Structure formats: structure tokens, C-alpha cells
Amino acid sequence: MFTFSSARTLAFAIAGAASVAFGGVAAQADLSSTNNITSLAGTWSSNSHVETGGSFCNPANYSFTYPLTTGISYSFTDTGFFEEAQYRFTSNATNPKCITAYILWQHGKFELNDNGSMTLYPFPSDGRIQVQDPCAAVTNLITEYNQQTLYADWGITMDSTRGNYKMQLNRFDGAKMPPMWLMANPPNMLPTQYLTGVNASGQAA
Ligand SMILES: *[C@@H]1O[C@H](CO)[C@@H](O)[C@H](O)[C@H]1NC(C)=O
Ligand SMILES: *[C@@H]1O[C@H](CO)[C@@H](O)[C@H](O)[C@H]1NC(C)=O
Ligand SMILES: *[C@@H]1O[C@H](CO)[C@@H](O)[C@H](O)[C@H]1NC(C)=O
Ligand SMILES: *[C@@H]1O[C@H](CO)[C@@H](O)[C@H](O)[C@H]1NC(C)=O
Ligand SMILES: *[C@@H]1O[C@H](CO)[C@@H](O)[C@H](O)[C@H]1NC(C)=O
């Protein structure tokens, strides 16, 4: 007898096995249908120090509040809005002393595409980034950031170790984003509308 609930359990087991055994390969697969065990809605973070909403970024006065540690966080609503917060270090293979720190924030609308990918469409005037590059002539400026982003696939699994939902976003170039766990639902987000500049109909925020 194959009940609905045992089908769900099987889906969990397959999703779990795939992500453990074929971690690298899974990045190529469309995870959206098999791994969508809960809604995208909520705030997801790689660790509790980095979260969307709150004081991470104030786009109006171009300021960031630096988290205690690096990490990433995304929030999604059921109505098609997203918010993204990242604080990361990247090393430079050519010059290992040139470790670049960047902190960025943007929000806007997202779409789930038919082929299982996800596209973020930021509100162009609201995104902000600050790059600290010890090897660049000019560093530390906070500037506007507007990065339309395509994630080739995404998936949500149950992390039995933590007893929490885990989200994996995989970039179009195959790079896996750090895994994130569900921190809050409803999500913690700044208002899901243009906060600065003018919106698509030319009206000021
Ligand atoms: C994911 O699951 C939620 C809850 O069951 C559902 O509302 C949503 O439409 C699903 N999304 C996709 C892309 O399948
Ligand atoms: C930006 O505005 C926030 C909220 O009013 C304030 O807490 C923060 O100190 C301001 N930052 C700068 C750099 O002006
Ligand atoms: C790496 O550092 C060199 C200078 O040493 C610089 O020219 C290059 O743009 C850097 N690459 C990245 C990806 O930051
Ligand atoms: C998936 O769909 C998106 C949106 O239509 C598109 O930009 C992307 O190129 C597609 N990916 C592949 C692998 O076809
Ligand atoms: C632009 O902003 C105005 C005022 O807040 C709002 O009424 C309108 O719906 C917005 N248009 C778009 C396309 O977001």
C-alpha cells in the first residue's frame, strides 16, 4: 500500500540520500519539485548572525551594520518578494594577500521559472554594496547594487541533525551558495516596496 504519507517519506529519503551521496552532482539537477517540502516563505540564513530585515542595511542613508561573522541570508514571501543579505570574504588566487570583503543587500521580486530555476529581479535603486579590497586604489565606498540573479536550481530538505528545514541555492554557473536554515516565518524583511529613488511608474518612494 503506497499511501500519500509514505510517498512523502520516500521523497524525504531520496532527497536526503542524493544530497549526501552526490553533493556535487546534485548542483546540476532541478531540485525544485522533489525537494520542495515546505514553502519558500520565510527568512533563511547560513547562521544566526546574518539576517535580512532589521538593521543589516539602511539603503536610504547608505549604511550597513556589520554582522559579527560572515554569512548569507535570503527572505521570500508567498507573494513574490525577496530580500538578500550577504557578508562574505573572497580570496584572490593570484595574490593571496588580497582578500576582499564585501557586504551587499538588495530586495525586489522573484520568479520561479518553468525549468526549475529562480530569477531575482531587484528594485534597481535600493540595492547597496560595500567592498573592502586592501589591494584596490579606492575601497570602502558604499555604492548602488542591482544584480539580477539566476539560480539554476534550489531545494529545501529536512536537516535531521538540526531538526530544521535547510535551503540550498545553486547559482547558474554551478557554484553552490552556502546552505541556509529557516530562521523565521513570516519572514523578517524591510518593506517590500521601493525604499529609495523612483519606481517603475516613475513615482518617488
Ligand atoms: C512548494 O510547496 C509549497 C507548500 O506545499 C507550495 O505552496 C508551493 O507552491 C510549492 N512551490 C513549488 C515551486 O513547487
Ligand atoms: C542611518 O540611519 C539609521 C536609522 O535612522 C541610523 O541608525 C544610522 O546611524 C544611520 N547611519 C548613518 C551612517 O548615517
Ligand atoms: C587579484 O589581485 C590582483 C592584484 O594582485 C588584481 O589585479 C585582480 O583584479 C584581483 N582579482 C580579483 C578577482 O579580485
Ligand atoms: C531556465 O529559465 C530561465 C528563465 O526563463 C532562463 O533564463 C534560463 O536560461 C533557463 N535555463 C536553462 C538551462 O535553459
Ligand atoms: C510606484 O509607487 C507608487 C507610490 O508609492 C505606487 O502607488 C505605485 O503602485 C508604484 N508602482 C510600481 C510599478 O511599483
Side-chain angles (χ1 to χ4, degrees):
M1 194 66 194
F2 205 67
T3 61
F4 174 67
S5 76
S6 66
R8 267 179 78 93
T9 310
L10 185 64
F12 273 84
I14 292 169
S19 63
V20 172
F22 311 112
V25 178
Q28 309 306 321
D30 169 11
L31 305 175
S32 55
S33 53
T34 44
N35 283 3
N36 180 25
I37 58 172
T38 186
S39 165
L40 273 168
T43 294
W44 302 82
S45 297
S46 61
N47 67 71
S48 60
H49 294 300
V50 182
E51 275 199 37
T52 59
S55 57
F56 184 87
C57 179
N58 184 334
N61 66 6
Y62 284 73
S63 69
F64 283 104
T65 303
Y66 275 73
L68 287 175
T69 65
T70 56
I72 67 170
S73 177
Y74 287 73
S75 284
F76 300 95
T77 71
D78 284 330
T79 50
F81 293 98
F82 83 95
E83 185 174 328
E84 172 183 10
Q86 295 196 34
Y87 175 38
R88 305 183 76 178
F89 293 139
T90 55
S91 55
N92 182 327
T94 318
N95 188 343
K97 284 181 187 157
C98 300
I99 295 170
T100 303
Y102 63 91
I103 188 166
L104 68 86
W105 180 91
Q106 60 180 358
H107 72 165
K109 304 213 75 169
F110 75 95
E111 271 174 25
L112 300 176
N113 305 311
D114 289 342
N115 62 12
S117 63
M118 179 198 298
T119 312
L120 307 182
Y121 300 97
F123 298 146
S125 53
D126 282 352
R128 301 287 181 264
I129 188 170
Q130 182 170 35
V131 179
Q132 295 180 318
D133 180 351
C135 304
V138 178
T139 188
N140 225 17
L141 287 176
I142 301 185
T143 54
E144 289 191 5
Y145 181 74
N146 171 23
Q147 185 63 60
Q148 185 177 315
T149 311
L150 176 64
Y151 291 107
D153 56 52
W154 60 274
I156 298 169
T157 51
M158 172 52 76
D159 181 340
S160 54
T161 313
R162 299 197 187 197
N164 193 3
Y165 293 113
K166 175 180 168 184
M167 174 184 287
Q168 180 67 51
L169 289 174
N170 298 321
R171 273 190 353 211
F172 191 65
D173 63 7
K176 290 167 88 84
M177 301 295 285
M180 294 179 283
W181 287 268
L182 185 62
M183 298 293 172
N185 191 12
N188 297 319
M189 302 172 80
L190 295 187
T192 55
Q193 62 190 44
Y194 277 73
L195 299 174
T196 68
V198 293
N199 70 14
S201 38
Q203 291 168 279

